[in-house]
Amino acid sequence: MSPENDARREQLRQNLATVEERIGAACSAAGRDRGDLTLVVVTKTYPASDVALLAELGVTDVGENRHPEAGEKAADVAAPLRWHFMGGLQTNKAGAVARYADVVHSVDRSKLVASLGRGAVAAERDLEVLLQVDLGPDFDRPSDGRSGAAPTDLSALAEAVASTERLRLGGVMTVAPLEVDPAPVFERLASLAERLRSDHPGATAISAGMSGDLEAAVSAGATHLRVGRAILGERPPLG
Ligand SMILES: *Cc1c(COP(=O)(O)O)cnc(C)c1O
């Protein structure tokens, strides 16, 4: 073990502890059980060596948002982790993602459902799918290029997933728009999730909350938090 590696491990350990304290406090405030939440540590842009350190520190779930970066890391890290894919996904890359992802959080159109299904069948793997919902300020109008399905499209999309071999409908996901209070956005996601569960009782996942807004997500009933910067550190701006 190099000194650099030891220093990085210590930094990650401290950051994880700080985030766990925040989650614990948010759970207490909301009267929720920490055991009902999954922390997905978002490792995008950081090296596979960080993912390996996180696994040693007890992390079980990691998230990535780009292919092929995600697949390369999944191949590099031997530790048994659950890999969550949460990025914009082209249909022609979906088959490749189905080979290593355990959960895809960013499904927002039926073409993608079909491609992931074909990929999962070809790879002989089961894939959990979350439907990404666009809850931007004008979410009742067709979204112009933003990621996520309109709330009105959710039930058709859910049917498409439920009727596709090797895909399992896990629930819903959103990214709260910047510069707005995330609380009503997460409340709205939770109510969409509740409606979805009346037709698909197994779709219990609510993926919401990131480094900046995890407390609001816990309070609104999120089951999955996707936390990157608060654990790995600030990322350089996307080039
Ligand atoms: C990067 C990313 C996250 C993590 O965001 P942080 O602000 O680093 O915690 C969560 N969800 C998605 C979809 C992301 O792309």
Side-chain angles (χ1 to χ4, degrees):
M1 284 290 115
S2 66
E4 294 79 18
N5 208 56
D6 285 348
R8 182 60 170 155
R9 181 203 310 270
E10 182 52 22
Q11 186 177 52
L12 292 174
R13 195 191 61 72
Q14 281 177 18
N15 292 347
L16 267 174
T18 304
V19 166
E20 277 298 341
E21 264 171 43
R22 286 175 60 191
I23 296 172
C27 282
S28 302
R32 298 191 58 195
D33 187 345
R34 170 66 182 89
D36 294 337
L37 280 158
T38 300
L39 171 62
V40 181
V41 180
V42 182
T43 49
K44 64 188 183 198
T45 78
Y46 286 95
S49 57
D50 278 352
V51 182
L53 287 173
L54 288 164
E56 286 174 26
L57 292 165
V59 167
T60 54
D61 291 76
V62 292
E64 289 283 334
N65 77 333
R66 284 205 197 184
H67 180 80
E69 178 190 345
E72 287 162 4
K73 277 185 226 171
D76 271 0
V77 180
L81 288 161
R82 276 172 72 73
W83 290 85
H84 297 249
F85 190 90
M86 50 187 60
L89 190 50
Q90 293 164 266
T91 48
N92 63 352
K93 308 268 174 65
V97 169
R99 285 203 284 274
Y100 58 80
D102 298 291
V103 188
V104 176
H105 291 233
S106 46
V107 172
D108 61 359
R109 56 199 193 279
S110 54
K111 265 189 160 170
L112 195 49
V113 173
S115 301
L116 282 171
R118 281 193 299 273
V121 166
E124 300 183 14
R125 300 182 74 238
D126 295 319
L127 194 57
E128 181 174 339
V129 164
L130 308 190
L131 304 180
Q132 181 171 357
V133 199
D134 177 12
L135 296 176
D138 50 356
F139 55 69
D140 287 321
R141 284 191 273 137
S143 74
D144 41 352
R146 282 197 314 260
S147 304
T152 46
D153 293 339
L154 275 191
S155 72
L157 212 47
E159 282 309 321
V161 174
S163 61
T164 301
E165 199 184 336
R166 287 286 191 175
L167 299 187
R168 192 180 83 71
L169 182 66
V172 294
M173 177 272 213
T174 203
V175 178
L178 293 172
E179 323 284 337
V180 306
D181 177 5
V185 174
F186 294 150
E187 299 289 348
R188 173 132 162 102
L189 183 70
S191 76
L192 290 169
E194 188 180 353
R195 204 182 308 162
L196 192 67
R197 281 197 305 275
S198 64
D199 288 328
H200 304 275
T204 55
I206 302 177
S207 170
M210 319 197 327
S211 294
D213 55 18
L214 70 87
E215 285 82 1
V218 171
S219 157
T223 63
H224 289 67
L225 305 173
R226 310 180 309 269
V227 180
R229 291 173 296 130
I231 295 169
L232 281 299
E234 292 296 328
R235 292 177 295 273
L238 287 179

